[in-house]
Amino acid sequence: MPEHTDTSIGTRLRDIRKRRGMTQSELAAASSLSVSLIRKLEQGEKESIRLESAHALARALAVPTTRLLVAEQPPWSPPVPSTTWQAVVDALATTPAQPAELPTSAGVQGALAGGRALFAREEYDDLGAMLPALIRDAHALDENPAGRRLRYQTMQLCVSFLGQVRQYEAAADAAQRALDTAPDGLAGGAAVVAQCQQMLRRGKLSEVAELADQWADDLEPRISRATPEELAVWGGLQLRVGAAAVRDNRASEAADALSLARIAAIRLGREVITGPDHLRHFGPATVTQQRAEHAAIQQRPDKVLQLHGAVRAWRPARGGGSSGRFRHLLDVASAHLSLRDETRCTEILLGIQGDAPQWLRAQRYAQDIVGRVVAQRRTLTPEMQSLADAVGLPL
């Protein structure tokens, strides 16, 4: 999935001008410079510019002059305010204080249900505000099987939340804590699914493949007699093996892992959530979305769109979040863009923005796609300009 990178002053000038919705003539008039100079810069016929001219262009475009002159951009960071997640990170990093009133298992279970509902609706600000108290109360529960299971489920919810707000190190820590408190092997496998996802985001491809493969071998079910829980966890582990392999350019291993996951999905025959932690969301649509992701990584846009048609026939599991579907739609938008259909690409992104604006703004992938739209289009529609602002594309 290629990223848009700016390589020259002409490229930067062109992209910012389009973001502002200005023609070359309008920019020339606003900056008191010639259209010829602007055209030569944007076409790469002129690679440098006097500081006075750069300042005039920057003033007309309402950006710092250095934005035109300096190629390097600051490292990308998710535009999720620290007020959304910092308290959760702090709560995980310290030993929670004993609450004034001892919590009950029923109370923690109810809070978990509320937190999962917030996660499913992508209401991350509210979820981040309630998680520290949930972490504290779960930690204070008695050391018995019920308390252990609720602590495990609390950590799994933290993993899901922190991954979505792009706090990968904290998410990985929560995933390890979930694994340490897993009440049984299947719960441990689900924790490893979460742990591998965070490792993938940090580029630990070989470690993911080895860990997920080892747990998949240990938990391999007898397909004809397997419970939905067993199929979902084992299939999820195979998907992590495939995700690592395809990113590591090991196409054969990726295809083998997908084939095993499809066996489990076909046996299930529907999308299911077999655990309350959202990480056992599995079925034919989930596997097909992963096949589309593999095709996107391998730069096969036609295959992505073909698989998208198959996904639309499946109904989502009740109670699950939408992030997997939205992530798939980003692959679909990117595929349309690769086939030079900027309009359809933009329509899909606008649809995601309407449903989950906070989720979309936190996706580097979305920002990269919009950057490619800006690079490919001669002019931007008002909708495209609005979308560029919505995903935080730098000017």
Side-chain angles (χ1 to χ4, degrees):
M1 292 165 283
E3 298 180 6
H4 169 60
T5 57
D6 62 8
T7 57
S8 69
I9 185 173
T11 301
R12 296 188 290 278
L13 175 63
R14 180 198 63 209
D15 289 353
I16 297 169
R17 173 180 61 76
K18 289 191 288 185
R19 286 283 303 279
R20 294 302 192 206
M22 301 174 72
T23 65
Q24 290 179 339
S25 297
E26 288 170 340
L27 177 57
S31 62
S32 300
L33 297 173
S34 69
V35 175
S36 175
L37 172 63
I38 294 170
R39 184 178 299 117
K40 286 180 179 179
L41 284 168
E42 293 191 3
Q43 292 178 349
E45 297 175 15
K46 188 175 180 63
E47 297 181 357
S48 62
I49 188 175
R50 292 188 305 118
L51 181 59
E52 293 84 352
S53 298
H55 177 68
L57 289 168
R59 188 173 62 248
L61 294 166
V63 295
T65 305
T66 52
R67 176 64 185 94
L68 293 175
L69 297 176
V70 180
E72 292 186 1
Q73 291 292 295
W76 183 84
S77 61
V80 179
S82 61
T83 52
T84 298
W85 51 262
Q86 188 63 60
V88 180
V89 173
D90 293 342
L92 288 171
T94 58
T95 301
Q98 189 78 0
E101 184 178 348
L102 288 179
T104 65
S105 294
V108 171
Q109 200 161 18
L112 270 166
R116 292 181 192 120
L118 291 173
F119 178 78
R121 296 195 299 266
E122 284 85 38
E123 295 180 12
Y124 302 132
D125 289 332
D126 291 341
L127 180 55
M130 65 87 68
L131 274 175
L134 178 58
I135 293 169
R136 179 201 63 204
D137 288 353
H139 182 80
L141 290 173
D142 291 337
E143 287 292 337
N144 55 36
R148 183 182 182 90
R149 181 172 293 277
L150 288 170
R151 280 191 290 275
Y152 161 82
Q153 292 174 4
T154 297
M155 286 302 103
Q156 289 289 61
L157 182 58
C158 288
V159 175
S160 300
F161 166 76
L162 291 166
Q164 290 302 330
V165 298
R166 297 304 189 255
Q167 298 305 306
Y168 298 137
E169 290 189 14
D173 175 59
Q176 183 60 53
R177 293 180 189 220
L179 181 57
D180 292 341
T181 58
D184 53 50
L186 280 179
V192 169
V193 170
Q195 190 175 46
C196 287
Q197 182 65 14
Q198 306 313 315
M199 293 166 67
L200 277 174
R201 287 166 166 166
R202 293 184 292 166
K204 298 185 176 183
L205 304 182
S206 59
E207 293 95 325
V208 168
E210 182 177 354
L211 180 62
D213 191 51
Q214 176 186 337
W215 273 80
D217 283 347
D218 291 344
L219 296 175
E220 184 173 3
R222 186 171 180 178
I223 298 296
S224 61
R225 297 182 180 177
T227 65
E229 290 85 355
E230 291 170 335
L231 292 169
V233 172
W234 183 73
L237 289 165
Q238 295 295 350
L239 290 181
R240 294 297 182 262
V241 173
V246 73
R247 287 165 171 79
D248 205 21
N249 199 30
R250 293 181 281 121
S252 178
E253 293 177 40
D256 288 345
L258 274 180
S259 295
L260 293 172
R262 288 181 73 186
I263 291 172
I266 291 169
R267 175 62 181 167
L268 273 173
R270 67 190 192 283
E271 288 292 302
V272 298
I273 297 178
T274 58
D277 45 41
H278 291 284
L279 294 171
R280 303 186 208 184
H281 190 165
F282 186 77
T286 299
V287 174
T288 304
Q289 287 171 351
Q290 287 295 301
R291 291 175 63 200
E293 181 175 291
H294 285 215
I297 292 170
Q298 295 165 337
Q299 298 187 15
R300 301 170 61 194
D302 290 330
K303 185 68 172 178
V304 173
L305 298 183
Q306 175 191 342
L307 290 166
H308 176 55
V311 169
R312 285 184 294 185
W314 290 95
R315 303 178 101 184
R318 291 186 60 187
S322 301
S323 59
R325 179 174 65 87
F326 292 145
R327 179 61 178 74
H328 168 68
L329 288 175
L330 290 182
D331 283 332
V332 176
S334 180
H336 281 295
L337 184 58
S338 295
L339 298 173
R340 308 296 298 189
D341 191 347
E342 297 97 340
T343 300
R344 183 63 185 133
C345 169
T346 303
E347 289 172 353
I348 293 170
L349 293 175
L350 288 171
I352 299 173
Q353 184 193 6
D355 290 337
Q358 190 175 16
W359 182 90
L360 184 68
R361 190 169 177 83
Q363 308 305 310
R364 173 63 185 270
Y365 188 15
Q367 193 179 99
D368 292 339
I369 295 170
V370 177
R372 288 164 54 203
V373 172
V374 172
Q376 288 185 192
R377 292 274 302 193
R378 290 180 61 86
T379 60
L380 299 181
T381 65
E383 292 79 11
M384 291 173 180
Q385 294 176 43
S386 173
L387 192 58
D389 293 335
V391 300
L393 188 68
L395 278 165

